[in-house]
Amino acid sequence: LRESALAVGAPPLAATELILFRKIVVEPQVPEDVADLGLRGTPSFELLRIVAPDLILISGFYEYQRTALERIAPVLSLPVYEAGIPPFGLAQSSMLALGDRLGHADAAKTYADETLAELMRLRAAFQPLSSRPVFVISLGDSRHFRAFGADSMFGDVLGRLGLTNAWTDDTSYSAAAPVGLEAMARVPDASIAIISPLPPEVRRALPDNALWNALPAVREGRVAVLDPINHFGGLPSARRFARLLGDAMLTGHGNG
């Protein structure tokens, strides 16, 4: 919801973990005067009371704190990630509902419409590549990866771009638990899109990893490292992922 509020022109007075948010989410940008409430798990209620917001936006992560938060201001939670439901449609509905609640309904509709238009444009551009499946992964070490499935924003957007997700096994809350790199060999014709950031040790070790280098996608140059994108974002993250994937796969500008 923070992404959506920023995207419709309603920046928050305060939010949690702004340093990490600016590093991972990147866009929309957070104004410098937004107060940092600290860690997501233990936000500063004292600072929140001082800020005195008119409305508090939360995800399902904060439902256990709803009662305490409601003592400060009304609380709004809108669904984006629910078990078994592709998130793009929920993110779209949530942005429109949020825009209406914040008095930015026109801006929310414009952003949602522009996002759909951009996906349709990229879908047409991706058409020549539609027969090649794509792994969308993150790397925590040089031997294992997390694959984003159909219930992730990345997986949902892949389908909307006319591409096939190479990961067809079950996922839990958008991604599979870390599995060995060899699992990607089961789909030898797939491309690989890696979501940054990569830990420094991965950047050092991966080029010399024999198993990684044996993967057909690596041997044949079908790997792109995308800039950071929020794994659990809304429409802004969906739009950023589609654009960065297009930059990498259509123009070769990924950091392979």
Side-chain angles (χ1 to χ4, degrees):
L1 291 183
R2 187 189 318 182
E3 286 184 12
S4 296
L6 290 165
V8 303
L13 296 173
T16 60
E17 296 190 4
L18 289 179
I19 294 175
L20 182 63
F21 186 89
R22 290 186 172 107
K23 178 181 178 181
I24 299 297
V25 179
V26 183
E27 56 181 295
Q29 292 185 347
V30 182
E32 290 299 324
D33 60 354
V34 176
D36 196 322
L37 295 171
L39 298 176
R40 283 174 289 177
T42 56
S44 172
F45 280 51
E46 293 80 6
L47 180 55
L48 192 56
R49 289 189 183 92
I50 293 171
V51 171
D54 296 320
L55 180 69
I56 298 174
L57 305 178
I58 66 169
S59 68
F61 177 81
Y62 287 102
E63 282 295 341
Y64 76 99
Q65 292 183 325
R66 175 183 282 271
T67 301
L69 292 169
E70 286 177 335
R71 297 191 186 103
I72 301 173
V75 172
L76 176 64
S77 178
L78 296 168
V80 175
Y81 291 89
E82 294 188 350
I85 301 177
F88 186 93
L90 288 173
Q92 185 179 34
S93 299
S94 291
M95 171 171 271
L96 294 175
L98 180 63
D100 187 61
R101 178 68 179 268
L102 298 178
H104 291 258
D106 290 345
K109 186 177 186 307
T110 296
Y111 193 94
D113 290 346
E114 289 177 348
T115 300
L116 288 174
E118 185 165 0
L119 293 188
M120 290 302 296
R121 177 184 65 80
L122 285 168
R123 182 184 179 96
F126 271 116
Q127 202 282 327
L129 302 179
S130 60
S131 62
R132 188 179 296 282
V134 181
F135 283 109
V136 183
I137 68 171
S138 65
L139 293 168
D141 61 47
S142 60
R143 294 178 296 172
H144 302 87
F145 70 96
R146 294 172 68 243
F148 293 94
D151 59 345
S152 69
M153 185 63 78
F154 302 147
D156 196 347
V157 171
L158 277 182
R160 290 172 183 270
L161 295 176
L163 301 172
T164 300
N165 195 334
W167 185 263
T168 57
D169 291 356
D170 291 338
T171 55
S172 176
Y173 198 40
S174 298
V179 295
L181 294 176
E182 65 276 4
M184 284 188 283
R186 298 183 308 203
V187 191
D189 60 332
S191 297
I192 302 173
I194 306 172
I195 308 298
S196 294
L198 274 66
E201 60 272 20
V202 173
R203 287 193 177 275
R204 288 193 299 268
L206 206 59
D208 298 322
N209 184 308
L211 185 56
W212 173 254
N213 289 312
L215 293 173
V218 177
R219 293 200 313 266
E220 297 167 18
R222 290 184 273 110
V223 179
V225 181
L226 307 186
D227 288 337
I229 312 166
N230 187 4
H231 296 179
F232 299 106
L235 287 192
S237 288
R239 195 166 172 173
R240 177 174 169 82
F241 170 67
R243 187 185 76 248
L244 293 180
L245 188 68
D247 288 345
M249 296 182 66
L250 300 173
T251 66
H253 291 163
N255 301 315

